[in-house]
Every structure is written in C-alpha cells, then in structure tokens.
Amino acid sequence: MRERVHCHAEGRCEGGTEKFTKVAAEKASGTGDESVAFAATGDADGDDVVVHAEVIRHGNTIATYYAFSLAAFSGEDGADAGDYDIPAEIIKGQAAKLA
C-alpha cells in the first residue's frame, strides 16, 4: 500500500486522470493488520483541494476512508482546504465489523 501512495507522490504511476500535486504522509489510526494515511493535494480549477485518506488492511480485506471539503472543492470563499480529518469513531466502528 505504501508503494502505491508513494508512486502518486512522485508522479510515476500509470493510468488515471488525477491531478495531485503533493502527497504527504499523515498519522494512521493503527487499526487492522496494516494502515497508511496521507493527504493528497490536488488542483481544482486553480485552487488547492486536500483529500485526507487512510487505507487499512484487515487480513485479505482492504478498507479505504476519505474526507474532503465540498465547499473547498467547489471554490467557496473562506473554505479551508485542509482543516478536517477522518473521524476516528468511523474508522474504529468499521474496524470492529471487519475484525
């Protein structure tokens, strides 16, 4: 999982039409057998938009969680592009179901 995140950060992945300009590691929840969290900054019509993501492996199951601001994505004035996260309660609740 980490390799796939890093290939996007370095711009060396093939396929897809994403226009991410930066990928930065974030603190993962530590749930599951393996987890990785990151923030991907993309270009949305000239404005930076941040997508927070966490990917967690539970055995052979992969769970992905994303959070982003629709207000920032749509270019709403005053919307903070990165001031939010994935609620820990959601990750813990889903992890309990996948365990």
Side-chain angles (χ1 to χ4, degrees):
M1 293 188 310
R2 293 182 198 289
E3 172 60 25
R4 192 67 182 160
V5 170
H6 290 297
C7 80
H8 279 288
E10 297 169 4
R12 58 184 173 82
C13 294
E14 295 182 20
T17 59
E18 301 90 359
K19 294 181 180 178
F20 291 111
T21 56
K22 177 182 173 186
V23 177
E26 293 192 319
K27 185 175 191 268
S29 65
T31 59
D33 299 316
E34 181 181 9
S35 60
V36 61
F38 58 94
T41 303
D43 180 356
D45 297 326
D47 293 322
D48 283 345
V49 176
V50 179
V51 177
H52 296 277
E54 184 161 353
V55 181
I56 303 170
R57 182 177 62 82
H58 300 269
N60 292 328
T61 302
I62 301 291
T64 58
Y65 305 90
Y66 301 95
F68 64 96
S69 168
L70 290 174
F73 191 71
S74 66
E76 185 175 307
D77 287 338
D80 190 337
D83 189 23
Y84 51 88
D85 59 6
I86 302 168
E89 304 82 37
I90 297 210
I91 292 175
K92 288 178 184 176
Q94 287 301 104
K97 294 176 184 178
L98 294 170

